[in-house]
């Protein structure tokens, strides 16, 4: 009787389910509650399966980060508009909106080093892809003559700093009462425009 291949138990479907459950734990209760045991329990599997597929809790955390970055990137792509200035502004608004909708994942996006978890090629690539839409939109706005001639990376950093700061202030409940975050973001965009605003 021929030997039958053993079924592959620790497969891509289980890996996806584990990332789903780990992401849900982080979203609901914060990164501090994430453990290999809690994820295994939520996915109705064993800790052995988690270690088999990810190797360590740090690798599982990186997988949640990559998931978050890809979701953020999708939200940025969905904010696309045809008019260059409107596109940049829409990306800023979508950025803040995603941060407010996903506060714990947003915290993870910028907190990996603080956790003592080293970046990998996969997390670096996912991060670059997440922030590429803003750089591309800025490059198009400069090329169209609507933004002042400047290094696109410098302009992108200026806009990113504004939306990141606004997001952190809003998440901390420190954004001044009555202040309009969308108008604040638009003002920074307008600062790079060519000619009169209106």
């Amino acid at each position: 009787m021929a030997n039958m291949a053993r079924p592959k138990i620790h497969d891509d479907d289980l890996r996806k389910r584990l990332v789903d459950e780990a992401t849900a734990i982080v979203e609901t209760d914060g990164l501090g509650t994430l453990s290999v045991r809690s994820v295994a329990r939520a996915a109705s599997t064993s800790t052995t399966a988690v270690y088999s597929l990810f190797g360590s809790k740090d690798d599982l955390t990186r997988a949640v980060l990559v998931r978050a970055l890809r979701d953020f990137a999708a939200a940025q792509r969905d904010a696309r508009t045809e008019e260059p200035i409107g596109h940049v502004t829409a990306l800023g608004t979508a950025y803040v909106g995603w941060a407010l909708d996903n506060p714990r994942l947003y915290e993870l996006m910028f907190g990996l080093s603080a956790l003592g978890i080293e970046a990998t090629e996969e997390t670096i690539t996912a991060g670059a892809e997440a922030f590429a839409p803003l750089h591309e939109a800025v490059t198009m706005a400069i090329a169209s003559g609507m933004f002042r001639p400047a290094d696109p990376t410098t302009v992108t950093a200026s806009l990113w700093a504004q939306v990141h700061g606004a997001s952190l202030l809003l998440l901390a409940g420190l954004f001044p009462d009555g202040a309009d975050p969308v108008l604040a973001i638009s003002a920074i965009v307008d600062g790079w425009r060519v000619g009169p605003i209106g």
Side-chain angles (χ1 to χ4, degrees), residues 150-171:
D151 169 46
T153 302
T154 299
V155 179
T156 300
S158 167
L159 297 169
W160 183 8
Q162 174 73 6
V163 294
H164 181 61
S167 297
L168 291 179
L169 288 171
L170 287 162
L171 287 170

